[in-house]
Every structure is written in C-alpha cells, then in structure tokens.
Amino acid sequence: MYTVGIDLGGTNIAAGICDAELNIIIKGSVPTLASRDPELIVKDMAELVGSLAEKADIPFSEIAYVGIAAPGSVNSETGIIEYSNNIKMFDFPMCELFKKYSP
C-alpha cells in the first residue's frame, strides 16, 4: 500500500507518493493558480496524483491514504477547509471533492 502527501500552497501544488516504509517513490508539482475556482484547484490536485501514480506504475487502488496540507483553518475530521487566507476556500469540502476527481 502507498501513501500520498499533498502540499496545497498559494503558488504551487506539490505531491509525493510514499511506499509502506515512507520512502518517497515519486514527487511532482503544478502551479496552483490560486485565483481560479477552487474546485479546479482540487481537480488539478487529483490529476497530479493520478499522473504520478501512472508514471510510477502504481495502481490508484493501492493508495491507502492521502494527506493534504492546506493554508488556513482545516477541520481534519470533516475534511472541510473552513477558511483559507490565500486561496478562496471557505467551508470548502476538500475531502469530498478530492474523492470526486480522483481516478
């Protein structure tokens, strides 16, 4: 099984996939373009993870966990970004939308 870490920043979205021993297998980034509709940003996050998994020949079904670091106030129990100071996300259902756009 694999774990994904995503860093959602105001400038870039960085992601990496780790194996069971937490060794980074592959990593990459794309521009955030923070002024866009936040749902498009989530779509880019999911597409980045999908492309990294494909490049590393990792079936998406073998990714057990995804952790997302985001600026502002995040409710880790609900997966909702309550407030983000540099990306227009207010009461934003990050976890739900990431699942929607994931392969």
Side-chain angles (χ1 to χ4, degrees):
M1 291 308 236
Y2 297 89
T3 302
V4 171
I6 301 171
D7 180 10
L8 172 59
T11 304
N12 291 300
I13 301 164
I17 301 177
C18 297
D19 64 15
E21 290 79 37
L22 300 180
N23 298 303
I24 298 172
I25 302 301
I26 190 168
K27 60 184 177 177
S29 67
V30 294
T32 305
L33 306 173
S35 62
R36 300 180 295 154
D37 178 333
E39 193 162 336
L40 295 175
I41 294 170
V42 177
K43 186 176 179 191
D44 284 351
M45 291 167 58
E47 288 175 354
L48 173 60
V49 173
S51 71
L52 291 173
E54 186 177 321
K55 287 178 187 173
D57 199 28
I58 296 170
F60 205 84
S61 61
E62 290 191 25
I63 295 174
Y65 302 100
V66 176
I68 301 172
S73 300
V74 179
N75 185 325
S76 62
E77 291 183 25
T78 63
I80 292 175
I81 295 178
E82 295 171 353
Y83 169 79
S84 176
N85 57 337
N86 61 346
I87 300 173
K88 296 176 187 173
M89 294 180 176
F90 306 97
D91 294 321
F92 187 77
M94 174 60 77
C95 186
E96 177 184 322
L97 288 172
F98 187 82
K99 287 178 185 178
K100 173 183 171 181
Y101 289 113
S102 294

